[in-house]
Amino acid sequence: MTAERLLDQSGISHEIAFDPDGEVTLDAMKAFWEAAYRETANPYLAIDAGIRAAHGSYKTLDYLFLAATTPGDGVRRYIEHFRLINTWLNFTLIEDSEGHHVVLESKIGPVPFAAVEITFAVLVERFRKKLGSEWAPLSVEFLHEPKGDPSYYHGFFRTKVRFAAAQARLSFDKQGWDAPIASGDQGLFDVLSDHAQNLTKQRPQPDDLVTRAQHQIMRSLGNGEPEIEDVAQALSVSTRTLQRRLAQRDVTYLQIVDQVREDQARNLVASGSMSISEVAFFLGYSDQSALTRAFKRWTGLTPRKFRLAQGQ
């Protein structure tokens, strides 16, 4: 099966699938995994995917983890900024006499079993990258029954694995949690932590469809004014759903497009990093005069006069 066919069966647009900042809905992700399991007939597909996820695939989070000076610091930052990867999954960190426990939950519905398996497999692989290939967690708990032979799970995690548990939980012993990592770099870790914090603040919440629409519009402007049907498809919702959610905020789609353009235009014109004609092209206007008319409506000034007023 090709990736394109799998995406089509799942109702995921190719544009959002290959967008580094793109994210699909919980329902679309469930459909994706169902199609993938059906086509491959591999009961360990999610575990295998986590094992094969290249280091660096998660960009800032992977490098942040690699720079950590203790495993505990790496995990804390990883789960704190996990929204950079996925906005509808959520972690809770619990500490007790046995150790530290990372609990995986969903903000908007039951956690798909594949999401738990791939997430835990990725975390274990990241730990083994830092601590050696023989490292093992204290224990692993899954909400679901095993999809294949339980010995496969025990073989990979190399610890006790419990199925049909009350929580999806990955546990670490206290000694390993605070063990110093010689290859860690505190200075780089601090810089990456600040960078991750800034990125996390910009990431929309999973139920904030309006903010997600704004981000999608901003990414699409270079190809002209995006149609609402295209934006809805990229967000994996119907056009009617998008219109209804916007109406609940007392805003229309065209108003959002206009606001995104205004915000971007003000910043780009003031910065002087682009010519006025380049700004017009970047924001999807047919020509510079169209931008000028809109800019005068927003500010009362032409882009050139606005730039001069900013000292550029």
Side-chain angles (χ1 to χ4, degrees):
M1 163 178 265
T2 64
E4 289 75 13
R5 181 182 168 193
L6 187 56
L7 292 173
D8 290 340
Q9 287 194 11
S10 310
I12 301 173
S13 73
H14 295 201
E15 179 184 2
I16 198 168
F18 294 102
D19 181 349
D21 295 319
E23 183 176 14
V24 301
T25 65
L26 178 59
D27 288 340
M29 181 55 67
K30 288 179 180 178
F32 175 87
W33 281 110
E34 288 171 0
Y37 274 93
R38 184 171 60 250
E39 292 291 330
T40 63
N42 176 6
Y44 317 110
L45 182 62
I47 295 288
D48 290 347
I51 294 172
R52 289 170 172 76
H55 290 272
S57 300
Y58 296 148
K59 297 185 179 178
T60 299
L61 287 191
D62 274 347
Y63 293 114
L64 182 61
F65 192 86
L66 288 172
T69 55
T70 68
D73 285 343
V75 173
R76 287 182 191 278
R77 290 294 183 270
Y78 199 91
I79 65 178
E80 179 182 351
H81 302 298
F82 193 75
R83 281 182 56 216
L84 297 177
I85 302 174
N86 186 297
T87 60
W88 44 263
L89 288 178
N90 185 54
F91 287 100
T92 300
L93 182 60
I94 301 171
E95 181 179 1
D96 60 22
S97 59
E98 294 183 351
H100 294 79
H101 314 277
V102 174
V103 178
L104 183 60
E105 303 164 317
S106 171
K107 299 178 182 179
I108 54 177
V111 186
F113 79 89
V116 179
E117 289 192 359
I118 191 171
T119 301
F120 284 179
V122 165
L123 276 172
V124 168
E125 281 296 294
R126 283 0 182 210
F127 260 84
R128 288 174 179 163
K129 176 77 171 179
K130 293 288 289 183
L131 303 177
S133 59
E134 297 305 312
W135 178 86
L138 180 65
S139 62
V140 183
E141 297 181 18
F142 290 113
L143 296 167
H144 60 281
E145 296 287 354
K147 299 302 177 181
D149 188 341
S151 65
Y152 182 89
Y153 296 84
H154 292 283
F156 169 68
F157 289 107
R158 301 174 197 155
T159 189
K160 55 185 178 182
V161 180
R162 181 184 173 194
F163 297 96
Q167 295 177 317
R169 187 162 76 165
L170 183 65
S171 300
F172 307 83
D173 64 75
K174 287 193 170 183
Q175 182 177 2
W177 184 263
D178 295 318
I181 301 175
S183 61
D185 186 325
Q186 187 63 52
L188 178 59
F189 182 74
D190 291 340
V191 170
L192 290 173
S193 294
D194 289 342
H195 179 58
Q197 183 66 39
N198 290 332
L199 293 176
T200 300
K201 290 178 181 178
Q202 300 171 24
R203 189 74 166 158
Q205 294 289 347
D207 57 347
D208 191 353
L209 191 59
V210 175
T211 302
R212 291 170 57 208
Q214 291 173 326
H215 282 240
Q216 183 59 37
I217 289 167
M218 188 163 56
R219 288 195 291 265
S220 306
L221 281 175
N223 297 318
E225 183 175 318
E227 299 292 337
I228 187 172
E229 293 81 7
D230 296 330
V231 170
Q233 182 181 19
L235 298 177
S236 300
V237 299
S238 68
T239 302
R240 181 174 296 180
T241 295
L242 179 55
Q243 290 172 324
R244 184 178 68 252
R245 295 284 287 276
L246 294 179
Q248 291 172 353
R249 297 282 193 91
D250 295 322
V251 68
T252 68
Y253 176 75
L254 291 180
Q255 286 173 329
I256 287 206
V257 172
D258 193 61
Q259 186 62 60
V260 169
R261 277 177 157 168
E262 178 182 353
D263 292 343
Q264 292 296 302
R266 285 176 178 269
N267 290 333
L268 292 172
V269 170
S271 71
S273 59
M274 292 183 181
S275 68
I276 304 302
S277 60
E278 286 175 329
V279 173
F281 176 79
F282 181 78
L283 296 179
Y285 286 102
S286 57
D287 52 41
Q288 184 174 328
S289 62
L291 169 63
T292 298
R293 288 192 298 273
F295 206 89
K296 288 183 70 175
R297 174 168 52 85
W298 297 326
T299 68
L301 299 172
T302 66
R304 196 171 304 281
K305 288 183 178 179
F306 184 86
R307 175 169 287 179
L308 290 172
Q310 305 300 312
Q312 296 294 333

